[in-house]
Amino acid sequence: MFSIEDELKKLPDKPGVYIMHDASDAIIYIGKAVSLKRRVRQYFQKSRNKGPKIEKMVTHIASFEYIITDSELEALVLECNLIKEHRPKYNTMLKDDKSYPYIKVTVGEAYPRIMLSRDMKKDKSRYFGPYTSSDSVRETIELLSKLYKIRTCNRVLPRDIGKERACLNYHIDRCNAPCNGNVSEEEYKESISHAIDFLGGNYSGVLKLVEDRMKAYAEELEFEKAAEYRELLSHVKSVAQKQKMEDTGGEDKDVIAMAGGENEAVVQVFFVRDGRLIGREHFYLKVPESDDESNILQDFVKQYYAGTPFIPSHIMMQKEIEDREIVEDWLGKKRGRPVHIVVPKKGAKEKLVELAAKNAKLVLEQDKERIKREEGRTIGALKEIQDILGLDKLKRVEAYDISNTSGYESVGSMIVYEKGKPARSDYRKFKIKTVVGSDDYASMREVLTRRFEHGKRELDELSNNGMDEELGRFVKFPDLIMMDGGRGQVNIALEVLGKLGLNIPVCGMVKDDHHRTRGLYFNNVELPIDTSSEGFKLITRIQDEAHRFAIEYHRSLRGKGQVHSILDDIKGIGKTRRRALMKAFESLESIKNAGVDELAEVEGMNAKAAQAVYDFFHVDQSSSSVEETSSQERN
């Protein structure tokens, strides 16, 4: 179990992004912090006034995770990217999907312009950013225009040279008016080159130019002009921060780094899509003591990309791998285009790899206890149940439940747990058609019979025709069947298995007078179980999940109008007569046991309709075929 109190103690006093999850593991809030330690703790301090929205959000937090960064600015941009990717429920302040600004230089034009852009397009322009302040971007563009006389108009040059008079910017000395032919293309592009140098990180030239002009105006006692340049200087320094969480190349990259411990390692993968870091994932590996980082990373790359559908154009690695050329060729063929594996040696890319390594180390150091707890509540819990029942192996468990409403057809559910975790792709659901009324035992007999008869047919087909096992919907048999009840339910299951010649252990989840599980019924003996143990908690989860799945299926069918009264199948009985019958008799069983005369006395009924109802329940009905539906089809 994730312990918020314990995890709060482990928070680092570093900038980063925190991600809040609810009980279903959905992301409900993403935020940034100068100090993750201080910021995240504030959410859980009762004394703080957090406002109604945050107060409500906190009640839904079941767990949280975080990504450390090197600065608050990096955290801000990463927060924006993650919010745009995941759209958490409680990040309402970003509902307008605002993006951060870039500075765009239209170098594909003969007389380029410098402008603010909210998007990075794959055109002939160069982009710088993103930046966190639109005002600073505008001030910087204004500064560059003022210093280098860069045009801001939309005229197509050189086509429109001399066609119109120069605009106001020429008259206030903000533009050299290339539209009138006052400056050559070569001279103009030299000015653009200086501006690009500044935007690319070479600030010294511009800073010196601005400082020199500021001092010159001050010496000439033009203090207003000097103050203007002093203000511009401040904006230049503000917007000149490089943002290494963004890559202006706009490419898709995976950034891979690792941290290792004793016989274990964590590999961190950052996902950069279209130049933006949109998320990350970490993977736990068991490694030999003698293995080095290069071999671990190489093995990871081979295993990871063998199973993932998306392969980026670039993979940035922490270490060189021995089979780089072979792996590149293999990935390139899978992708259909070249793939490059690189180890950055300097600059923002190297720092991004270092950041992935820092996060891997943090996960390795702080998640050891969580991993142990997770194994305890899954594999460890299954081992407890295995020991209680005295079984040799226990990996796959199936549990069943029946849901019905008086007068409506029943449905059955089959849920599967493997290694202590739900295997939802193997869930199955059944419509009960051969049982009239609320007979849970008979309904369960039908469900189990159909499930294992179907499974045996698939196994026969597999052995005779070589059917792919993955295509079989019932081909996997469980190591244990858990029935939601005691002796009666267990005996039903054993009866079905005996008729089909199957030997599968069956136990019942016995409940007390308060409908709480108290033990397991196995081999005609009720076995006690420690209610505080992980094994008991797993049994409860299995029981609740089987019940939930059955109820959910029944409710969904009713919502679609697919669950109907048994009476709807009787010729001559419509909605009005059905309601009258259900109102006159306590249950469907009472209707079934009523005579023709008694049925005819119901309001709206006549002799013919009464005879039809009586015949329906007393004349043999042919069983209609029933369909099993997988959870994959459900979705």
Side-chain angles (χ1 to χ4, degrees), residues 58-118:
V58 170
T59 63
H60 294 288
I61 297 174
S63 63
F64 60 81
E65 60 176 317
Y66 47 88
I67 303 174
I68 59 173
T69 60
D70 281 346
S71 70
E72 184 185 10
L73 185 60
E74 291 175 5
L76 183 67
V77 177
L78 177 56
E79 175 197 32
C80 178
N81 291 342
L82 292 176
I83 289 171
K84 288 172 72 175
E85 179 71 13
H86 299 288
R87 301 187 177 276
K89 179 178 179 181
Y90 289 98
N91 284 96
T92 51
M93 73 289 289
L94 293 175
K95 224 173 185 180
D96 60 348
D97 199 27
K98 178 183 177 182
S99 58
Y100 290 106
Y102 295 85
I103 293 179
K104 176 180 179 179
V105 184
T106 60
V107 293
E109 298 176 335
Y111 292 86
R113 294 165 293 158
I114 301 176
M115 62 186 71
L116 184 149
S117 175
R118 292 284 178 184

Side-chain angles (χ1 to χ4, degrees), residues 11-12 18 29 67 122 248 312 342 363 495 544 616:
L11 285 164
Y18 53 91
Y29 187 77
I67 303 174
K122 293 182 178 180
T248 54
V342 296
V363 170
E495 172 194 322
D544 292 344
F616 181 84

Side-chain angles (χ1 to χ4, degrees), residues 446-461:
E446 178 191 318
V447 168
L448 292 171
T449 300
R450 285 164 45 200
R451 183 264 180 270
F452 288 105
E453 281 185 343
H454 199 152
K456 289 190 70 175
R457 288 197 301 271
E458 288 185 349
L459 283 173
D460 290 341
E461 188 176 349

Side-chain angles (χ1 to χ4, degrees), residues 13-66:
D13 189 15
K14 294 182 178 180
V17 173
Y18 53 91
I19 304 166
M20 304 297 195
H21 295 259
D22 63 13
S24 65
D25 204 35
I27 295 175
I28 60 174
Y29 187 77
I30 296 173
K32 70 166 183 67
V34 180
S35 168
L36 289 166
K37 185 176 184 178
R38 293 197 299 271
R39 184 71 184 97
V40 177
R41 281 182 172 182
Q42 289 176 0
Y43 287 96
F44 303 96
Q45 293 173 353
K46 295 182 180 179
S47 59
R48 298 189 70 88
N49 181 17
K50 296 181 277 288
K53 186 191 82 168
I54 298 299
E55 290 280 3
K56 183 178 180 181
M57 184 267 289
V58 170
T59 63
H60 294 288
I61 297 174
S63 63
F64 60 81
E65 60 176 317
Y66 47 88

Side-chain angles (χ1 to χ4, degrees), residues 560-575:
K560 296 174 184 176
Q562 293 182 27
V563 173
H564 60 279
S565 171
I566 298 296
L567 301 176
D568 290 335
D569 292 333
I570 305 174
K571 188 176 181 179
I573 302 299
K575 184 183 296 185

Side-chain angles (χ1 to χ4, degrees), residues 367-433:
D367 275 14
K368 285 182 179 179
E369 292 181 15
R370 184 190 63 79
I371 296 168
K372 290 179 180 178
R373 287 195 301 270
E374 180 66 19
E375 288 182 348
R377 69 190 294 270
T378 55
I379 297 174
L382 206 59
K383 182 68 165 57
E384 288 182 20
I385 297 172
Q386 175 182 306
D387 293 342
I388 291 171
L389 301 179
L391 300 175
D392 293 331
K393 65 169 185 175
L394 193 54
K395 177 182 176 182
R396 180 184 173 96
V397 174
E398 292 182 4
Y400 297 82
D401 194 24
I402 302 296
S403 176
N404 57 63
T405 303
S406 180
Y408 290 89
E409 67 184 8
S410 300
V411 298
S413 72
M414 162 187 147
I415 63 112
V416 179
Y417 270 60
E418 287 191 342
K419 295 183 179 180
K421 296 181 180 180
R424 292 187 173 86
S425 62
D426 286 354
Y427 285 16
R428 299 291 180 260
K429 48 198 180 184
F430 306 78
K431 290 181 183 179
I432 307 299
K433 294 290 187 179

